[in-house]
Amino acid sequence: MSKTILPEPLTALVARIIAAAGSAEAEARKVAANLVLANLSGHDSHGVGMVPRYVDAVQEGGLRPNTGAKATMDIGTLLALDGQRGYGQIVGEQAMQMGIERTLQHGSCILTVGNSHHLGRIGHFAEMAVAAGLVSLHFVNVLSRPVVAPFGGGDGRFGTNPCCIGVPLKRQERSAAGPPQGGAAPPGGSDPHAVGERGGEHFVLDFATSRVAQGKMRVAHNKGERVPEGYLIDERGAPTTDPGVVVVPQAGGLFGALTTFGEHKGYGMAVACELLGGALSGGGTWHRAADTARTVLNGMLTVLIDPARLGTQQAFEQEAAAFVDWLRQCPPGAGFEGVQIAGEPERRARVARGRDGIAIDDATWAELRAAGAKVGAALPD
């Protein structure tokens, strides 16, 4: 069973819990809005279901409310930031705002963020960049209980380690063979990052290097669902379709693990994210036994590029639009309605969920109520 809640009242409920856990009103509202935007985008794994874990992290001291990004080195085109264990939704936006400003001034910026609490959906930061007409690349590691097994391995050794790439696309008139345009902001509230200033339906590729995000296993477990074969191994290293193996302790207190996408290729990308997002940022990598801490720390390497400063802006816009149009004219394969590009599913979901509301399953709602009770913010029954 589930209940459906419109974005604005859901944001208000979540902000109330975050504020009760110690955040100033403005911070609580921004964190809540970011989480609800993830739900609106169709990524419930990074949405309001994270709140119980955030409350626990605050109470154990691993997440520090009202703390932001601190620059430890800044030469304009190169920027290093310490997240100081602040909310990743705050730290990440601050980092991107600084990086975008420097990229518009210098043409490019490489920035690192270390020691940030959970950054959430990395696609949000790519959307900020493409809205400013910039290309962005993001490599992120996850310091928490290791939930992903290396290719050929039998237990978890690292996190879901996301990679994200954003490319601004200028809107072009489509041929008659192309599908209709989308990208409207969802009813009930505008989304300034969904469609950029230049009017493009931007390419935003955002994926975990695991076969599926850990949060999606939490959602499936809460709904009592099984998952496809090939996603998981159990605590003995054997294949399983039970998402609970990575959500709750199994025999002997052990956990199962997620597999990487693309076998050795996804595994290689996961290691790259650990080295670039973790080691290079100074935030650290995972190389110790698992613990029960609820804190989730991220490191991120971001590269921002301004095509206009490269001198290729016109050719870039023309060639990118021509290639996307070429893809859209491809006839649909069996079982598909048509070809789409990264970013389109999220834009469609925002329209539908902004209009119809966001479904919260009963188990997640119970967890939200319990989190609120821990900090004295009672939610409706």
Side-chain angles (χ1 to χ4, degrees):
M1 297 293 291
S2 65
K3 51 179 57 61
T4 301
I5 309 175
L6 289 172
E8 185 55 37
L10 182 58
T11 301
L13 288 171
V14 171
R16 185 143 57 92
I17 298 175
I18 299 296
S23 289
E25 182 177 348
E27 176 175 275
R29 182 75 186 184
K30 183 175 286 290
V31 172
N34 183 285
L35 293 171
V36 171
L37 178 58
N39 288 108
L40 277 171
S41 303
H43 297 289
D44 296 323
S45 56
H46 291 68
V48 301
M50 291 299 302
V51 172
R53 184 156 192 173
Y54 290 177
V55 169
D56 289 346
V58 170
Q59 293 186 334
E60 72 184 17
L63 169 54
R64 299 169 184 165
N66 308 311
T67 302
K70 176 184 177 182
T72 58
M73 193 279 296
D74 182 0
I75 60 171
T77 56
L78 202 60
L79 177 63
L81 299 170
D82 179 359
Q84 303 185 96
R85 297 198 172 210
Y87 274 100
Q89 291 80 1
I90 304 298
V91 170
E93 283 203 7
Q94 291 174 339
M96 288 303 298
Q97 287 164 357
M98 295 170 72
I100 289 169
E101 289 173 0
R102 285 152 181 76
T103 304
L104 293 175
Q105 179 181 358
H106 300 290
S108 66
C109 181
I110 299 173
L111 68 91
T112 60
V113 178
N115 203 32
S116 169
H117 199 263
H118 186 234
L119 286 164
R121 190 179 68 91
I122 307 304
H124 175 63
F125 307 130
E127 287 168 354
M128 292 179 66
V130 296
L134 306 179
V135 172
S136 71
L137 299 87
H138 311 263
F139 303 89
V140 183
N141 83 320
V142 183
L143 296 181
S144 180
R145 177 173 61 83
V147 296
V148 185
F151 181 66
D155 67 8
R157 293 282 153 162
F158 47 84
T160 53
N161 292 9
C163 177
C164 181
I165 300 170
V167 182
L169 299 178
K170 186 175 181 180
R171 183 186 295 275
Q172 298 288 319
E173 291 298 325
R174 304 297 183 195
S175 67
Q181 299 298 304
S190 63
D191 174 12
H193 305 314
V195 179
E197 296 172 358
R198 303 187 184 193
E201 296 177 324
H202 305 306
F203 176 91
V204 179
L205 176 66
D206 180 16
F207 62 93
T209 49
S210 55
R211 187 76 182 270
V212 66
Q214 162 72 0
K216 293 187 186 299
M217 298 298 93
R218 170 179 49 78
V219 171
H221 175 69
N222 283 350
K223 292 181 176 180
E225 298 174 347
R226 308 293 284 193
V227 300
E229 294 182 357
Y231 282 22
L232 298 162
I233 57 175
D234 65 18
E235 71 278 10
R236 301 180 303 276
T240 181
T241 60
D242 176 12
V245 300
V246 293
V247 179
V248 295
Q250 304 298 299
L254 300 175
F255 285 89
L258 296 161
T259 60
T260 57
F261 83 90
E263 300 179 327
H264 61 284
K265 297 177 182 179
Y267 166 51
M269 178 65 79
V271 173
C273 287
E274 192 77 27
L275 298 176
L276 297 174
L280 188 62
S281 73
T285 62
W286 188 279
H287 43 79
R288 56 186 172 85
D291 56 38
T292 59
R294 298 282 280 169
T295 299
V296 182
L297 296 178
N298 288 142
M300 178 169 68
L301 168 68
T302 293
V303 179
L304 296 167
I305 303 167
D306 185 354
R309 298 294 292 273
L310 275 177
T312 61
Q313 183 73 48
Q314 184 175 0
F316 167 65
E317 290 179 349
Q318 291 174 347
E319 288 300 314
F323 180 65
V324 170
D325 193 46
W326 169 249
L327 294 176
R328 292 185 192 279
Q329 293 178 40
C330 182
F336 292 90
E337 295 182 359
V339 172
Q340 58 186 345
I341 64 167
E344 289 180 345
E346 288 81 1
R347 288 189 285 271
R348 284 199 300 269
R350 289 175 193 177
V351 172
R353 292 188 172 195
R355 177 190 63 235
D356 302 330
I358 296 166
I360 306 293
D361 64 83
D362 288 346
T364 299
W365 184 253
E367 290 173 355
L368 284 169
R369 293 189 69 237
K374 286 181 181 180
V375 292
L379 296 188
D381 198 9

